[in-house]
Amino acid sequence: MLVDMHLHECTFSTDSFLHLEEIVSIAKEKGLDAICITDHDSMGLRERAEAYSREIGYPIFVGVEFFSLWGDITAWGIDGIPDHRIDAQDFIDLVREKDGFCVSCHPFRNNNRGLREHLRDVHGLNGVEVLNGSTPLEDNQMALRFCRELGLKAIGASDAHVPQQVGKYVTRHLDGQRLRRCHRILSGTFQETGAPCAGLLFHGALSYAIFMQENCSNIPQEALLRRKKILKIWRSGKLGIDIFPAREYGNANNFKCPIARSGR
């Protein structure tokens, strides 16, 4: 299952130019199986997103990109967030208390909003964004090195604020049954107690960060063809634990040259 785990919708992320319906439309066109809305310091879209998800039968999970005192952390499976900035460890502890799932997003992007070396100082993160669609390749590579050192899940996400970014990087979740179960919970056709839906989805799921969007002008952009290429590479064993940057390896002939390997 392919999931873009970091997207911004314009209602509560004022720097975004994307409406929810547009995000879903693009995600479907590109062959994504679900999306996550992670607005800046807000989960205000949750009610509307869950209603729209039920209406169209497409999984939409609402988390948050919370700006802690040490940097941005994306989180899912929680009911709400603090109304002011708090220490990164305190926020991680809050997420863990709720059986949620939290990720250090773009930790090394040069905008003073990443955890950077503080990744080594906090405890309880579930993953690290090793492919962020709005972050330079060298900063993503540094994030991957820390992710492997700390033994965390490798997460890919677009961090999209504009249409052309949606689905640039995604996370492949191997447990499709888990995702479908979570969507049934969201749609009200399945009752579940304990961890909130998004926490149920991401906890324990094997995931790999991969590229999704080709940037080479000579590569056909039809979603079906793109999806077939990716599936072909998965079956060949060249993807799954390999992470590819779209700009460097947008041509299908270059897939034999991964930049990194991550098996978590």
Side-chain angles (χ1 to χ4, degrees):
M1 309 295 280
L2 300 177
V3 185
D4 191 337
M5 295 183 64
H6 186 166
L7 292 152
H8 293 273
E9 204 270 352
C10 62
T11 305
F12 293 96
S13 288
T14 57
D15 58 345
S16 174
F17 295 89
L18 289 164
H19 292 275
L20 181 60
E21 295 80 3
E22 183 179 25
I23 294 173
V24 171
S25 176
I26 297 172
K28 285 184 173 182
E29 180 184 348
K30 291 186 174 181
L32 303 190
D33 299 292
I35 59 170
C36 297
I37 304 296
T38 51
D39 286 321
H40 299 292
D41 301 310
S42 174
M43 300 180 71
L45 199 70
R46 173 180 279 178
E47 184 175 340
R48 178 184 161 210
E50 290 182 356
Y52 188 55
S53 178
R54 290 192 296 269
E55 177 186 337
I56 64 174
Y58 184 82
I60 304 171
F61 302 101
V62 176
V64 66
E65 181 178 14
F66 182 76
F67 189 25
S68 78
L69 291 175
W70 276 355
D72 283 322
I73 298 172
T74 45
W76 303 264
I78 56 177
D79 298 323
I81 59 172
D83 58 5
H84 59 282
R85 292 180 69 191
I86 62 173
D87 183 78
Q89 187 62 61
D90 290 340
F91 182 67
I92 293 168
D93 290 343
L94 182 153
V95 175
R96 289 177 64 86
E97 288 172 5
K98 300 292 185 180
D99 291 324
F101 186 93
C102 56
V103 170
S104 170
C105 50
H106 48 70
F108 291 96
R109 186 195 296 168
N110 188 23
N111 64 349
N112 296 317
R113 293 185 66 104
L115 291 182
R116 303 188 70 82
E117 286 78 9
H118 286 304
L119 281 169
R120 293 192 179 107
D121 300 321
V122 298
H123 306 281
L125 284 170
N126 299 104
V128 177
E129 268 186 3
V130 303
L131 288 178
N132 176 286
S134 301
T135 298
L137 176 60
E138 57 271 19
D139 295 335
N140 281 332
Q141 289 176 313
M142 179 65 74
L144 176 63
R145 285 196 285 272
F146 271 71
C147 179
R148 296 177 67 187
E149 173 190 324
L150 298 170
L152 301 175
K153 291 182 184 291
I155 301 298
S158 68
D159 194 3
H161 293 69
V162 294
Q164 57 267 33
Q165 288 288 98
V166 175
K168 178 176 179 179
Y169 295 129
V170 300
T171 301
R172 181 193 179 199
H173 292 276
L174 302 185
D175 193 344
Q177 183 177 0
R178 185 186 295 259
L179 186 146
R180 286 187 288 270
R181 182 186 183 197
C182 287
H183 184 233
R184 288 165 58 202
I185 296 171
L186 281 179
S187 64
T189 61
F190 184 85
Q191 297 300 316
E192 177 74 24
T193 59
C197 181
L200 174 68
L201 169 60
F202 300 128
H203 270 302
L206 293 173
S207 60
Y208 305 108
I210 66 171
F211 91 94
M212 182 65 179
Q213 173 178 299
E214 300 92 345
N215 289 335
C216 296
S217 58
N218 63 330
I219 299 295
Q221 294 298 299
E222 291 84 354
L224 180 60
L225 180 58
R226 179 186 299 112
R227 190 176 177 88
K228 284 182 177 178
K229 286 179 181 177
I230 293 174
L231 292 174
K232 180 179 179 181
I233 299 158
W234 283 345
R235 286 193 288 266
S236 72
K238 294 180 181 178
L239 194 57
I241 61 172
D242 291 345
I243 298 172
F244 300 88
R247 291 181 182 177
E248 297 255 342
Y249 302 103
N251 190 306
N253 294 325
N254 294 332
F255 284 136
K256 61 184 178 182
C257 305
I259 61 166
R261 300 175 69 86
S262 175
R264 300 197 66 85

